Amino acid sequence: MSGGQLSLSRERDRLHGFVSLREFERSRGDVSQIPAEIPEELYPVVADDVGRALTNLLGLAQPGNYARLTSAVIDLLGALKEAFGDRAWREAVLPAARAHALAGLVHECPFTRHSFMQPRGYPGDAGLLDFVYRHPAARLAQEAATDAGRTVMTFTVDVTACEAVRHRRSILAAKIDETAARCDMPAILAVASGHLREAELSVALREGRVGRLLATDQDPVSLSTVDGYRASISDAIETRQVTVRNILAGKADLGRFDLIYAAGLYDYLDARVAARLTRILFDQLNDGGRLVIPNFLWGVPEEAYMEVYMDWYLLYRSRDEIERFAQDLEPSAVRKTTYTEDAAGVIGYLELERV
């Protein structure tokens, strides 16, 4: 959300014709700051406004090509999330957007639809990330989509957030290789590994310079995919079905490691759980070992589209919030703390090195 940094009148210019915003401003008797905490009695008016705004975009849908439509929808939803308070967004804006006929058009995109349908029973699954990676495993679903649906996907997998995820994959592969360069046959732990697609980019794994790479995940389907890498990439790769709850409860005896990372896990953990998990994982490092934690930062332009049409919610954080993951660590055990961001400032990376 904007945190009240923009004026309602300025945002109303972007949302021309929104009766609910005019009524809200009139009832307040001033030019209020956004987000606007619209009273519940105006929610039907909000829903009408949203429906009308989306209908006005339908003309951008060309036969076989929804690229212009998708761009405009992302922009409109972003403006709506800025303009309305959290409750009005959840209870009025979002349901109205999902109920509109335009949802059927964007759900022709196999990427967007996969996320919304959650075929594995949870959001952000490894199959979804294969779309982001443009991985061959997602090709069949892409080929089965409509021509227009593929134009939506071409646009959506190229947005800022997806580019950051692809870059994260490369960064984590580089961390594996760096670890193999500083340690002889290192032990590495990937927590909530998904399909472990970074393994495909690691030179050290293919060259046999990693002693052990343990991939843990709650999803047996993901782990079965990772098992295939034993033959194609490295027999140092192992899998184990482990949940975060198992780790937090001390029921997962995984060993000790020279590198531990969790690619996208922390985007779903509340602050207290994240700090507790950080302490537990840090304690499983060998001397000189490193723990790498990525987390999405505030300000992702596609956040509203992800919530409305993908049912995909992340916990976005500031640098300070990410650095607080380490708040429960014994300072004397930490040799070095490093915080970095990708070039676009979309994902922050916390790296903690053990003494």
Side-chain angles (χ1 to χ4, degrees), residues 33 47 49 87 89 93 194 196 207 239 257-258 301 311 315 320 325-326 330-331 337 340 343:
Q33 299 293 308
D49 285 338
R87 185 181 175 194
W89 167 259
V93 178
L196 200 76
E207 292 183 348
T239 60
F257 302 90
D258 300 293
D311 199 26
L315 292 176
D320 287 345
F325 291 159
E330 177 60 45
T337 299
T340 58

Side-chain angles (χ1 to χ4, degrees), residues 16-55:
H16 178 70
F18 266 55
V19 177
S20 55
L21 293 178
R22 288 203 305 269
E23 289 296 320
F24 175 73
E25 187 173 280
R26 185 179 299 116
S27 69
R28 292 291 296 267
D30 60 7
V31 179
S32 303
Q33 299 293 308
I34 65 168
E37 297 296 344
I38 300 287
E40 188 172 353
E41 57 265 26
L42 283 178
Y43 285 2
V45 184
V46 173
D48 288 344
D49 285 338
V50 172
R52 186 169 54 255
L54 292 173
T55 297

